[in-house]
Amino acid sequence: MGSDRSNRIGEFQFGRVLTWSTLAALLLAVLVVPFPFYGDQAMFNVYARMMSEGATLYLDIWDLKQPGIYFFYLVGGLWTSFDEIGIHIFEAIYWLVNAVMIARVLRAHLLHRWVAGLFPIFAPGLYFAVADIQDLTQVEALISPLLFWIVWLLLPRHSPSAGKPLTAGVLAGIIGVFKLIALLIPAVVLLTSIVLTLREGRGVALGARRLGWFVLGAFLPLGMLGLWILYQGTGEIVWFTWVELPPQVLNLAPRQLMTLVRGGGGFALGFAVPIVLALASLTRRPRGGDQLVTMLVFAIAACGMYLLLQYWWGYTFFVLVVPFSVLALTGIDHLVGSGVNHRRLWVLGAVFLALPALGSAAIRAVDFGSLLSGSSLSQYRMVFDHYANAQDDARVSPIGSGGDIYVLGTPTIFHILEADQSIPVTGWAPEILTEKLWRQVADDLAKPGTEAVFIADWASDTAARLAPWFEAEVGESYVEQVRSHGGRWLVPRAP
């Protein structure tokens, strides 16, 4: 009887904490809903809109990434709208639903159930508090919740049924559709699960069955991706894009150590509280630890390996949001039940570490207040340099809104003008274009159909370095019409 009453009290406390933390995360999400797109997100959105109108990915529109991110924007755009507000709302719903479900699952893994209700504060609350426009709705942030579900589904303590490892495999396959190299992380989690299963003495056969069901589950979305590629008739270009091109890209644009330092440092500053709490959890747990903690530690290690293989952009570190947030809750759970005499010191320390995130959220709240006080959405977005510069460049477009244009520069111009990309190869990252791709861009621009070309000054410098012949060849078909602050617009020469 006393145990039932204790459980009811625990559930009541959990529900109350979860409600308030979810509302706080929702408020932080609302603050980023009006944010403008950065170049990456603008390209994802423009390509997704063009796909909804019949364009074929990798054939009519081309990028180096796997198609998962485009599918996400496509679904979000069709369900809401192909603009910043629609996509940001879709991402917020995705995060909040996952946060509530993860919090409910975590109750069984914590001594104090109400602590699990804090999860939305960390993820997605902190994510929405510190992520800038270039960080939102990127692959790494979107797959972070999926990593927790894979860890949880593969916990050795679960019954030896097929459902959980099969589902974990499906989620791993979905991660692969977003980014193939990210399959490294669920692979390490699976290996950790099998090793822990064997250490429990539950037999090699059980580990083999889990491996088999996991691989079968992963094959389902990856197999569907393969069938989609065959149906689209893009097998040859996909092979070039995913297999042949990446090693060439690394030679063209080597990674910079300072990019790693800035990206990792920025993430560590914004997520200092969960990182410190996660470390506190690890240093205070009994030898051997808990299965969930152990598997999360190996998941974080796998994320570290994955990050080292990437280009080290700041947004890639957001793959760590959920693993660190879950470990942070185990740290809070331990501190609450440990009878620590210096709880006030811990609270003060947490507040101090949270100052960067709190400051960022406060600035966003003040900026958001300008919208409520009558500023237009365009005026609000002009405080973001990337958007303001793209707006200046788009404003002098020689053909106005709409049409088929090409931009060697930020795709945000496409989005502002509601224009389509006239030729397949993106001009957003000219530093990764090989000689073959530069040649394809030049040849495609020489064909009829492009109403205007914008060449950003910074992209012109890259072209001069990698393809010094490019602009002279483009000049045979186009003539400069107008200059903007950041580049120049060209229009087709009169016949």
Side-chain angles (χ1 to χ4, degrees), residues 67-90:
I69 190 66
Y70 296 104
F71 293 155
F72 186 90
Y73 275 72
L74 178 61
V75 173
L78 291 173
W79 189 40
T80 55
S81 57
F82 288 103
D83 58 23
E84 292 93 337
I85 290 177
I87 297 301
H88 289 156
I89 288 175
F90 185 58

Side-chain angles (χ1 to χ4, degrees), residues 106 109-111 115 122 272-297 300 323-336 338 340 346:
L106 284 175
H109 297 271
L110 300 175
L111 181 62
V115 173
F122 294 106
V273 173
I275 290 172
V276 169
L277 287 171
L279 293 174
S281 169
L282 297 179
T283 57
R284 293 173 177 271
R285 297 192 66 82
R287 187 175 181 181
D290 178 81
Q291 288 181 350
L292 178 63
V293 172
T294 301
M295 291 184 65
L296 283 169
V297 169
I300 289 173
F324 270 126
S325 297
V326 175
L327 283 181
L329 294 188
T330 66
I332 295 173
D333 188 48
H334 178 80
L335 292 172
V336 169
S338 64
V340 175
W346 274 98

Side-chain angles (χ1 to χ4, degrees), residues 139-306:
V139 168
E140 282 73 18
L142 296 177
I143 68 175
S144 190
L146 303 185
L147 297 180
F148 168 80
W149 291 118
I150 293 172
V151 167
W152 182 75
L153 289 165
L154 291 177
L155 285 175
R157 70 176 64 155
H158 285 152
S159 62
S161 62
K164 285 185 171 60
L166 180 69
T167 305
V170 170
L171 294 176
I174 292 172
I175 288 176
V177 174
F178 274 93
K179 190 173 272 190
L180 285 173
I181 196 173
L183 285 171
L184 167 69
I185 307 171
V188 170
V189 172
L190 173 65
L191 179 61
T192 305
S193 173
I194 292 174
V195 170
L196 291 177
T197 300
L198 295 177
R199 288 183 61 183
E200 287 186 344
R202 301 178 69 182
V204 176
L206 177 58
R209 284 199 299 274
R210 288 194 171 184
L211 173 62
W213 285 116
F214 181 91
V215 171
L216 176 61
F219 178 78
L220 294 177
L222 293 175
M224 291 176 64
L225 175 61
L227 292 175
W228 176 76
I229 291 170
L230 291 175
Y231 175 76
Q232 299 278 72
T234 55
E236 184 176 349
I237 185 65
V238 164
W239 177 265
F240 165 76
T241 302
W242 296 354
V243 179
E244 296 179 8
L245 184 59
Q248 301 176 41
V249 167
L250 286 176
N251 290 330
L252 284 172
R255 291 167 292 188
Q256 302 294 324
L257 182 60
M258 282 308 300
T259 305
L260 175 64
V261 173
R262 284 194 298 267
F267 178 81
L269 192 64
F271 278 79
V273 173
I275 290 172
V276 169
L277 287 171
L279 293 174
S281 169
L282 297 179
T283 57
R284 293 173 177 271
R285 297 192 66 82
R287 187 175 181 181
D290 178 81
Q291 288 181 350
L292 178 63
V293 172
T294 301
M295 291 184 65
L296 283 169
V297 169
F298 279 93
I300 289 173
C303 287
M305 292 186 286
Y306 165 78

Side-chain angles (χ1 to χ4, degrees), residues 393 406-409 413 452-457 484 486-490:
D393 295 330
Y406 186 71
V407 175
L408 194 65
I413 295 173
V453 175
F454 178 78
I455 300 179
D457 291 337
S484 69
R488 52 203 171 94
W489 283 96
L490 313 177

